[in-house]
Every structure is written in C-alpha cells, then in structure tokens.
Amino acid sequence: MTDPAAVVDVASLRLVFDGPPPLAVLDGVDLSVADGEFVSLVGPSGCGKSTLLRILAGLLAPTSGTARVHGEPVGVGRAAFMPQRDLLLPWRRALDNAALGADINGVPGAVARARAGELFGRFGLAGFERAWPSELSGGMRQRLALLRTFLLGRDVLLLDEPFGALDAITRRDMYAWLQQVWLADRRTVVFVTHDVEEAIYLSDRVLLLSPRPGRVVADIVVDTSRPRAPDVVTEPRFVAMKGTILAALEDSR
Amino acid sequence: MTVLTPRRAASSRAGARARAWLPPVLLLAALLGVWQGAVAIRNVPPYVLPSPARIAGAFVTARSLLPRDLATTTVEAVLGLVVGAGVGALLAGLVAAVPPVRRALYPLLVVSQTIPMIVLAPLLVLWFGYGITPKVVVVALIVFFPVVVSTVAALAGVDPELIDLVRSMGADRMTVLRMVLVPAAIPAFFAGLRISAAYAVAGAVVGEWVGAQSGLGIFIDRSKASFRIDRVFVAVVMVAVLSMALFAAVGAIGRMAAPWQHAAERGRS
Ligand SMILES: Nc1ncnc2c1ncn2[C@@H]1O[C@H](COP(=O)(O)OP(=O)(O)OP(=O)(O)O)[C@@H](O)[C@H]1O
Ligand SMILES: [Mg+2]
C-alpha cells in the first residue's frame, strides 16, 4: 500500500531488535495517514507501538520496508515526537523546556520564550513558567511535554500516550482540550493510546495492532462531525465500536 | 502529625543545623580537654607535644608571620583545583566520547594515583623549578582523578531516551553535548571536585616541602627546625581550616551551577 497523497506512509515495515535472541517487534506494518488526519494506534502492551513511533521519528532504522513522511524517508527533525515518558530536561525551567526545540533550531531565545509563554495558559501551566520540572505534578509535566511538542511547529505530530500518566477525570478534560487545540490548525497526528474511548473520541481512524510482532489488523473509521461533544462516545454506535475494538484486543491476547 | 508553619519550619531548620554541629564540637572540646590534662599531668615538654592552650598562644604570636605563607598555599591550592578540574572535565569528556580512549586511558589514570606524591614532588621540582608551578601540578594531579571518575559515571548514566528526544528535534552532536551531556554531568563534576577540594591544601603542602620560598609547608618546616612544635600545630589547624573553606566553597559553587538539584532535594525532604 503506497498512497502518494499520504503524509505518513509505512509499507511492509519490519523491525527486529538484535538478539540474542533476536526479537521481531514489527512485521509487515502497512499504514498511511492523510494530511490533517488524526489516527490512533491501539494494541496490546509490547506490540511495538512506541517502536513504530520511534521509527517515524527517525530515531530507529527499520530492518526492512519503508517509512516515509511527506514522501521522503523518515529522518530526525521531520516530525514532532513526544515520547511515552515526559523526558523533561531537569536542568531547564518549565518555560525553557517548552522552548527546547526552538533553542535547538537556533530560534532567538527571547522570541522562543515569548511564543512558549503565550501557550502556558492554554496548556494549564500559567504561573509555572519558572518552575523546575521536579516541582511539577505528573499531569503538568505531561502537558509541558505536549506543549514542547506543539511548539516544534512541525505539521506531523507523533504522540506516544500523552495522557498515559493522568487520572481518568483529568484525562477526559485533556482529550476534549486536545481536540480543540488540534482543530485550530489540524495537523497530522499519529496518536498511541491504551484508552479505546480516548482513541474513538479523538480520531478519524483507529488502527488496531496485533500482539508482537505487531502489524495492523483492523482499520476502523470514526465518521462523525467535529467538534465532538464529550458524550459522543456514549452514542450507541460508538459504544458498539468500542465493544468491537475491545473484543478484538481481548481476542488477540 | 505536626503541621509546620513556615516560621516553625525555619526555626526547626536552624535547630537541625545546631544539632548537626553540636556533636563534633563537643567531641573536639572533650578531646582538647583530655589533651590539655594529659600534657599537664605527664609534664610533656612543649617541644614534644605542646598543650592546646600553648598552641592557641602560638596563634597570637605567629599572627604576623602567617598571612604570607597562608596566601601562598591558598593560591597554589586554588590554582591546582582549577587546573585539575579543567583537566578532569576534558579527560572525562574524552573518555565518555571515545570508548577506545576509555579502555586505554582508564588503567593509566588509576596507576597515576598509585604513585606517592612524596616521590613525585621532587621530580616535579626538578622539572618545573622552585616556583609555584610544581605545587600547582601536585594539587592538580590529586584533584583531577575524583573529578574524572565521577563525571564519567554521570555521562555514562545519561538517559539515552533523553538524547534521542533531543536528536528527534534536529540536534547534532555538539548540541546534544551542550544541551544534555554537559548539564547532566554538572552535579557529579562538582561532587567529585568537592572530594578533591578536601585534599588540595594537603597536596600543596607536600609540594612545598620539597622546596619553596613560602607556604604553610615551609612554615611547618621552619617551625619544626626550631622546635616550635606549637607553631607546627598552628599550621596544621590552618591547613584544616583552609581545606574546609575550599570544600564549602566548591559545594556552594556547585549548588549555584546546578540550582535544579537543590529544588529536587527540597521536594524530596
Ligand atoms: N531498544 C530495544 N532493544 C531491544 N528490545 C526492545 C527495545 N525497545 C523495545 N524493545 C522491545 O520491543 C517490544 C515492543 O516495545 P514497545 O515499547 O514498542 O511496545 P509498546 O507497544 O509501546 O508497549 P506499551 O503499550 O507497553 O508502551 C517490547 O517487547 C520491548 O521489550
Ligand atoms: Mg509504548
């Protein structure tokens, strides 16, 4: 499957970690994500979701197959990658962490910080600009990592369980909020999550991965208008969709 | 559970500091008391072992003699610390960046620490003359080792995912070094340097012994030659005080260089 219009395009992707014993983590992954599309990856733990994102981020070379962003082989600096752990730099204050990408790419410090500072309110971090990461709560750290990712200004976002560390209630607020943020400029998103409801609520499509070695076993379209109300997931057909996905996840274990 | 208001927390912090200081001060006072008593009872002559009171007296009479020697030793120790810290940081970077260098260099570094300074110091005088240089070299040789060991360990322990993240944003090797490796190594660098600071002054004194115009080592030599053992003790006290001052100064600079560490520790306590 190679779609010339796709922004993210993965074909026959295989990844084996060198042993001993060698570990095949991804085998025959095909997927493509169109411009401005929000696609979630769900699958059992250890099936290679984070590995796939690391490949798309240009950090890991596939064993075979192709992974392209905007038609070119993946490479570092192409897409904005948010790893599963927040990985804030302990020696940078919150505002400086947010501006990390800008600092790396040579944007003048004051400009980068002004731009980052404007978003602190929207990310629920107002007043914490000068805090050290060790002084932030888990949820704040995660939002700061997300803010840092958004500020990279790339049109493809690779988000690995951005809300994984949050409690259920904060999580709901966060995904309603993420939809708002995303709708503002509709960047292309590849979103890894364990939360099926979150995936349905946020996504245009949900891709289901098999257990390791992972490959895409189901491609479920969520066709309803945006912005979606928080209770959209309680509509019967989405409840049914959630049931289908959960059952598929259950079966694959 | 007791709730500490900020004020009470502050006063209890002061209390904790006093509690930390009290035992060593009391122990020292007791030891000095025993010393004073023993010297008096056994009638030990002052050219063998002077009493603490006599040493205190010698402080007063040596007041005008000390500053010059103290200044010399301080300069040697501080310069040696700076040079040793610089060399240590460079070696640590080299060892961490080039694994073959690590294998080649590490054993040599360890061997360098097994050579007694008292053997090396005369050679250094032979090579560098009677000036300040051989003393600075002795101190630097003592200083660099803990710095290298501690910094290399910190560099090896940097989270590889952190480096990956920064790379994913487009950072090249130099940027990774500047934005991740250097800051990550700062606390360990200063931890190693603090250990070194405790030995720096003693190193300078050993360097002076072999030959110098001034310095606490020379002061000790001169005092011993004229059987002023009380003055030898005066110099020993000065060495201890100067060492503690350097130790505290390096600690303070380290805290300033790594303010985030301070915040993390505060959060944990
Ligand atoms: N650098 C590595 N070297 C060897 N094996 C690895 C490496 N990174 C990951 N793995 C293995 O690859 C498999 C997939 O890991 P990955 O992190 O991609 O899973 P995941 O789907 O993201 O899981 P989770 O949902 O728990 O985050 C795991 O079995 C893991 O042990
Ligand atoms: Mg993962």
Side-chain angles (χ1 to χ4, degrees):
Chain A
M1 170 166 90
T2 305
D3 176 358
V7 169
V8 177
D9 187 62
V10 172
S12 318
L13 189 81
R14 183 175 152 78
L15 185 113
V16 182
F17 281 115
D18 294 337
L23 184 70
V25 172
L26 298 168
D27 195 4
V29 177
D30 290 299
L31 64 88
S32 70
V33 183
D35 189 22
E37 203 179 13
F38 196 119
V39 171
S40 289
L41 300 176
V42 296
S45 181
C47 74
K49 302 181 294 293
S50 296
T51 305
L52 180 54
L53 278 207
R54 286 170 51 78
I55 292 173
L56 291 175
L59 294 171
L60 198 61
T63 310
S64 64
T66 56
R68 294 168 183 277
V69 171
H70 285 300
E72 285 180 38
V74 290
V76 292
R78 294 279 165 69
F81 170 52
M82 175 177 170
Q84 193 163 352
R85 293 192 292 132
D86 58 60
L87 294 177
L88 298 171
L89 301 183
W91 45 85
R92 283 180 166 243
R93 293 180 189 273
L95 189 62
D96 301 323
N97 260 294
L100 177 65
D103 287 347
I104 288 172
N105 293 295
V107 178
V111 176
R113 274 151 194 78
R115 208 181 292 157
E118 281 169 21
L119 289 176
F120 264 62
R122 239 168 90 200
F123 279 73
L125 292 164
F128 287 89
E129 289 82 354
R130 292 197 40 81
W132 297 109
S134 62
E135 297 170 328
L136 300 177
S137 74
M140 295 167 92
R141 292 173 61 99
Q142 205 114 20
R143 287 199 296 271
L144 180 54
L146 198 55
L147 170 56
R148 174 179 68 184
T149 314
F150 267 80
L151 275 169
L152 286 171
R154 308 273 190 269
D155 59 357
V156 178
L157 302 178
L158 310 169
L159 310 178
D160 197 349
E161 302 195 38
F163 309 137
L166 306 185
D167 63 274
I169 295 169
T170 318
R171 227 177 143 114
R172 263 167 199 276
D173 289 348
M174 288 301 292
Y175 57 77
W177 164 87
L178 177 62
Q179 176 181 238
Q180 285 306 318
V181 173
W182 174 74
L183 280 174
D185 51 7
R186 287 216 187 217
R187 297 193 228 176
T188 309
V189 179
V190 181
F191 186 88
V192 171
T193 178
H194 273 123
D195 186 327
V196 174
E197 210 167 276
E198 177 177 294
I200 293 173
Y201 176 79
L202 283 168
S203 309
D204 298 314
R205 277 189 298 139
V206 179
L207 303 182
L208 186 63
L209 295 181
S210 69
R212 192 178 62 233
R215 65 196 166 79
V216 179
V217 289
D219 184 338
I220 299 140
V221 177
V222 188
D223 54 344
T224 187
S225 62
R226 306 223 187 224
R228 296 171 183 168
D231 58 2
V232 74
V233 285
T234 61
E235 281 177 26
R237 65 190 184 113
F238 293 118
V239 173
M241 191 179 278
K242 182 180 170 186
T244 313
I245 297 172
L246 284 175
L249 273 174
E250 194 67 35
D251 283 349
S252 68
R253 278 204 301 167
Chain B
M1 197 180 101
T2 56
V3 178
L4 290 181
T5 62
R7 199 206 183 91
R8 279 192 55 196
S11 74
S12 89
R13 223 175 4 251
R17 209 172 301 143
R19 272 195 301 281
W21 276 102
L22 207 55
V25 168
L26 284 180
L27 180 62
L28 186 65
L31 286 175
L32 290 177
V34 170
W35 179 352
Q36 183 79 34
V39 168
I41 292 165
R42 302 288 306 275
N43 228 339
V44 184
Y47 55 83
V48 175
L49 182 65
S51 70
R54 204 185 170 94
I55 296 169
F59 255 103
V60 178
T61 58
R63 215 175 39 214
S64 59
L65 301 172
L66 264 176
R68 194 172 78 106
D69 293 318
L70 188 60
T72 303
T73 305
T74 306
V75 168
E76 290 162 359
V78 170
L79 279 181
L81 260 178
V82 170
V83 172
V87 171
L90 278 179
L91 283 177
L94 202 63
V95 166
V98 196
V101 172
R102 175 184 201 138
R103 281 190 296 276
L105 203 60
Y106 237 54
L108 297 189
L109 294 185
V110 175
V111 167
S112 81
Q113 293 307 294
T114 64
I115 303 168
M117 274 309 153
I118 208 74
V119 175
L120 202 56
L123 295 177
L124 292 171
V125 169
L126 200 66
W127 299 332
F128 298 112
Y130 282 90
I132 194 173
T133 315
K135 290 85 177 175
V136 172
V137 173
V138 168
V139 176
L141 279 173
I142 294 172
V143 163
F144 87 94
F145 189 69
V147 172
V148 172
V149 172
S150 161
T151 308
V152 165
L155 287 173
V158 173
D159 188 344
E161 284 195 65
L162 211 53
I163 296 175
D164 272 355
L165 171 78
V166 176
R167 280 209 307 131
S168 83
M169 295 180 177
D172 55 20
R173 280 173 68 100
M174 274 314 288
T175 310
V176 170
L177 179 72
R178 190 161 51 89
M179 291 196 180
V180 181
L181 296 179
V182 169
I186 284 177
F189 168 83
F190 277 101
L193 192 59
R194 214 149 66 105
I195 296 171
S196 301
Y199 298 117
V201 180
V205 168
V206 169
E208 288 163 359
W209 257 332
V210 179
Q213 274 100 46
S214 66
L216 288 175
I218 293 304
F219 183 89
I220 290 172
D221 233 19
R222 254 191 276 123
S223 304
K224 209 166 55 185
S226 51
F227 299 101
R228 291 297 304 265
I229 306 304
D230 51 351
R231 286 197 174 163
V232 172
F233 276 97
V234 166
V236 167
V237 171
M238 290 321 295
V239 168
V241 169
L242 189 52
S243 296
M244 284 198 293
L246 283 184
F247 185 78
V250 170
I253 295 170
R255 274 192 298 282
M256 272 190 286
W260 66 91
Q261 280 259 321
H262 197 48
E265 274 155 29
R266 215 170 36 225
R268 237 174 286 129
S269 67

